[in-house]
Structures are given as C-alpha cells and as structure tokens.
Amino acid sequence: DAKTTQPPSMDCAEGRAANLPCNHSTISGNEYVYWYRQIHSQGPQYIIHGLKNNETNEMASLIITEDRKSSTLILPHATLRDTAVYYCIATRGGNSNYQLIWGAGTKLIIKP
Amino acid sequence: GAVVSQHPSWVICKSGTSVKIECRSLDFQATTMFWYRQFPKQSLMLMATSNEGSKATYEQGVEKDKFLINHASLTLSTLTVTSAHPEDSSFYICSAPVVLANQPQHFGDGTRLSIL
C-alpha cells in the first residue's frame, strides 16, 4: 500500500471549512484513498473514500488531484465535535479483505 | 448500516489474568476481522488478521501464544490476552471488512485494557 503523508496538526474555526491535505505520491492505479477519523478513546469512524473522481457525502467532500498524488478532505462547516485525528489511507480496492496501514494522521482541533 | 460490536469496552484486572475481548459483526458476515492495538498518542497498529475457520495471521513481533485469536463463526472473533501484564495495557480495536468490495471497513468502539 502506498505511503501517505499528512500534517501532524491543524486548527480550524468553528463554522468554517476544514481542509485536510494528504500526499500519496506513490499511489498505484488500483489503490483507493480512504479517510477515517478517530475521536478520543473511540474506534475509527469511516468518512469517505475515492479512486479518481471527487466524492461527496453527508459528512465531507474528497478532492483528488488529477495525477492522484494528493487529495484533500473537506469538512464544509466544522463543529466542535469534528475535533479528532484524521487518517488518510491508500489501499487496494477490489478486495474486501484489505488491510489498512495507519500513519500518524492529522490532529484537527476545531476552535470556538 | 453495518455495525461492529466490541465487548467489553473497559476492563481492569490483575496481572496474570487472561482477558477475552469479543468482536461481533451485527448485520453482516465477516470471514475476516482485523485486530489492532493502540498505545496512548500513537496510531493503530495491526496485530493480527482473524480468518473464519482457519488460523489467524499474526504481524511480525506479535506473540501468538500471548494473543490468542479465535474466529469460530462468520460473525464472531475473539482475542484473548493470556497471562496479561501491565505492559499489555492498551486500547484494542477490531474491524471487519464488509463482503462487498470497496466498501469501508467498520470498526468496533474499542476495549480499554488496564492491567494492574
């Protein structure tokens, strides 16, 4: 699985959009980009994933560059409850039994 | 949606005790489940892959005899920490992939294990 690089921490004002970057320059053609978050002392929560196209769901938007070497997770209107560690993971799709390799993630702090 | 239930959520016990943690897939079948360990302020580290009906696959450095994994059915995997010691104190998390390809893995809420 491709290695991902994320900034260790970020701040964002409540109500503003939080943009979390992720570099995955060695991603291969069959690897998807997944985003999870972990609120303190809880299990990881799935946010969104994509292969090539930009994706949007009720939680967030995922913007993937055309060369797929980087992506950005966008939380459109951050709330205090979005404070968590966000993990960007590149892993093979097409197989339900994939392992997820977890990096250090980005600690996002939403400030009132 | 698919849910993974993990039990217990918190356990405190004396050194030398064996502790069993259960991971259940509630509305889907999981032929594979993953077990992770997380120390404070660190990321998740994969310990082992649990396979229904066969032996688990352990990551390098994880003691098979220390962390016993049993995946007896398509909805239940258990992790038993045998003869636990204070250094085994950690946050243990399980996950299960959904059968359909490219679907997100679902995670349990984790088990906080404290060995006195």
Side-chain angles (χ1 to χ4, degrees), chain A residues 32 34 36 38 40-46 49 87 92-105, chain B residues 31-32 34 36 38 42-44 46 49 59 91 93 97-105 107-110 112:
Chain A
Y32 286 68
Y34 281 79
Y36 283 81
Q38 188 178 26
H40 183 62
S41 294
Q42 296 182 22
Q45 177 188 22
Y46 165 79
H49 75 285
Y87 295 95
R92 289 168 293 158
N95 181 344
S96 61
N97 294 338
Y98 50 82
Q99 293 182 0
L100 298 178
I101 307 300
W102 301 77
Chain B
T31 56
T32 299
F34 297 108
Y36 297 87
Q38 186 176 33
Q42 295 186 21
S43 187
L44 281 75
L46 181 66
T49 302
E59 295 301 301
F91 191 50
I93 308 169
V98 185
V99 173
L100 294 176
N102 303 332
Q103 297 301 309
Q105 277 187 31
F107 286 80
D109 285 334
R112 177 75 58 191

Side-chain angles (χ1 to χ4, degrees), chain B residues 55-66:
Chain B
K55 292 183 179 180
T57 304
Y58 290 81
E59 295 301 301
Q60 190 173 7
V62 177
E63 300 177 55
K64 300 178 182 180
D65 296 332
K66 176 74 171 177

Side-chain angles (χ1 to χ4, degrees), chain B residues 17-65:
Chain B
T17 307
S18 292
V19 179
K20 180 185 284 188
I21 302 170
E22 293 186 348
C23 181
R24 294 181 184 272
S25 57
L26 295 185
D27 56 1
F28 65 102
Q29 294 181 334
T31 56
T32 299
M33 290 185 178
F34 297 108
W35 287 96
Y36 297 87
R37 181 168 53 184
Q38 186 176 33
F39 292 108
K41 297 187 179 181
Q42 295 186 21
S43 187
L44 281 75
M45 290 191 62
L46 181 66
M47 298 176 63
T49 302
S50 173
N51 303 299
E52 189 271 334
S54 64
K55 292 183 179 180
T57 304
Y58 290 81
E59 295 301 301
Q60 190 173 7
V62 177
E63 300 177 55
K64 300 178 182 180
D65 296 332

